[in-house]
Amino acid sequence: MEASSLSQLVLPAALFLMMLGIGITLQGADFKRVLIAPRGLLLGALGQLLLLPLLGVLVCWLFALPPLVAVGLMIVTFAPGGVTSNMITLVSRGDIALSVSLTALSSLVAPFTLPLLTALALTQMDVDSQLNGFPLLPSIVKLATVTLLPVLLGLALRRRYPSACRRLQPAVKALAVVGFVIIVAGIVRANWERLPALLELYAPAVITLALAAMALGALLARLGGLAAAGQRTLAIEVGIQNAGTALMVSSSLLGSVEMSAIVLIYGVLMQIPAAFLMLLSNLPIRPRVWQTD
């Protein structure tokens, strides 16, 4: 199957399943926490939706990234983390309720903020002539169809069939992972000859962004008075992005190989500081900020 077919067919289907998997794990209580305990959620939303994109602009400027690559990296910063961040939070002994609530909030907001911010980045970088175009309203509709709709569907199914949803979670996640692996393999194949050079060129910028984003999340939580578990959680939520959604925009909607490559590089390399955080959080003797509250 051609890479273009993979991005147009398999990636949206895989992303739909990933978001459905998120939906069937959520409950109404996850949204009610926005009103009951808003501080952590507001800090997380501030970090994900405002401070991280600003940090992305700084990294793109410091490393003088080419326009298409810079827009691709910015698209990553516009896509808040999903179920992966929930898993990493759990292993890192973070505040899983806060992580899940942030996932619920970002699932509702990102389908609208991501296209709007992407359109702004495309205009600022003046790369429209190098792409097939980015019609804003159709892009919002497409993104909402494969991200927001399955989350709402999953919520409805969880409310109506809670036991069945719990049983289906592993299968839905497995199918989504298979589809995502297929599309990643297609992008890697399309960039195979250039991949070593791309890593050499852009890995420093990607690692810098991932590390700085995690540090920013932890600092924001600390300044906001969150406990150690909350600090670890915001470090993860700000640093771990939804590579699947970012690939949907860069590959399916914009059809850019360059953008998809940098998104893929971030999706892989962001796991390095996350793995380090998980290791630190589970050492017998841990620094104070990593200790369980």
Side-chain angles (χ1 to χ4, degrees):
M1 187 179 290
E2 295 291 334
S4 59
S5 299
L6 287 172
S7 65
Q8 295 297 325
L9 299 175
V10 180
L11 179 55
L15 187 56
F16 187 97
L17 285 172
M18 288 171 65
M19 301 309 289
L20 180 64
I22 290 175
I24 62 177
T25 65
L26 296 176
Q27 303 179 69
D30 298 318
F31 295 91
K32 291 179 182 177
R33 291 191 189 97
V34 176
L35 299 176
I36 297 173
R39 184 172 55 174
L41 286 162
L42 290 175
L43 289 171
L46 174 66
Q48 288 180 330
L49 300 176
L50 179 60
L51 298 183
L52 180 58
L54 291 176
L55 181 61
V57 170
L58 179 61
V59 169
C60 290
W61 175 74
L62 286 174
F63 287 89
L65 297 180
L68 280 176
V69 175
V71 173
L73 196 58
M74 289 305 301
I75 289 172
V76 171
T77 70
F78 303 152
V83 68
T84 302
S85 64
N86 300 156
M87 180 203 70
I88 295 173
T89 298
L90 179 64
V91 176
S92 300
R93 302 168 181 259
D95 186 338
I96 189 63
L98 174 59
S99 178
V100 171
S101 297
L102 277 168
T103 296
L105 184 61
S106 65
S107 297
L108 297 180
V109 173
F112 305 99
T113 57
L114 179 51
L116 289 169
L117 292 172
T118 298
L120 178 62
L122 291 170
T123 301
Q124 292 299 313
M125 291 293 182
D126 195 23
V127 295
D128 291 328
S129 61
Q130 303 177 50
L131 302 168
N132 297 326
F134 187 69
L136 184 57
L137 185 57
S139 297
I140 291 175
V141 172
K142 289 179 183 178
L143 202 58
T145 301
V146 297
T147 57
L148 180 57
L149 178 61
V151 168
L152 297 178
L153 176 60
L155 276 166
L157 290 173
R158 174 65 183 264
R159 182 178 178 85
R160 183 68 178 84
Y161 308 105
S163 299
C165 284
R166 282 192 289 269
R167 292 195 300 269
L168 283 173
Q169 282 178 27
V172 171
K173 290 179 181 179
L175 286 172
V177 168
V178 168
F180 191 68
V181 167
I182 290 173
I183 190 64
V184 166
I187 294 173
V188 169
R189 181 182 176 186
N191 291 277
W192 182 252
E193 294 182 357
R194 300 191 305 148
L195 199 55
L198 289 172
L199 284 169
E200 183 178 350
L201 284 171
Y202 304 132
V206 167
I207 287 292
T208 298
L209 179 58
L211 287 171
M214 294 187 77
L216 175 65
L219 178 61
L220 185 64
R222 188 176 183 86
L223 293 175
L226 297 189
Q231 293 174 36
R232 292 192 296 274
T233 301
L234 288 202
I236 294 163
E237 291 294 335
V238 177
I240 300 299
Q241 300 303 292
N242 193 330
T245 302
L247 276 176
M248 170 75 181
V249 174
S250 64
S251 181
S252 296
L253 298 180
L254 290 169
S256 172
V257 174
E258 291 85 354
M259 290 182 187
S260 299
I262 193 68
V263 170
L264 183 60
I265 290 171
Y266 191 95
V268 173
L269 295 186
M270 71 179 180
Q271 308 297 336
I272 296 175
F276 185 64
L277 189 152
M278 287 188 285
L279 178 63
L280 272 181
S281 301
N282 287 279
L283 290 175
I285 300 176
R286 300 186 295 275
R288 185 171 178 270
V289 72
W290 306 119
Q291 292 177 7
T292 305
D293 299 300

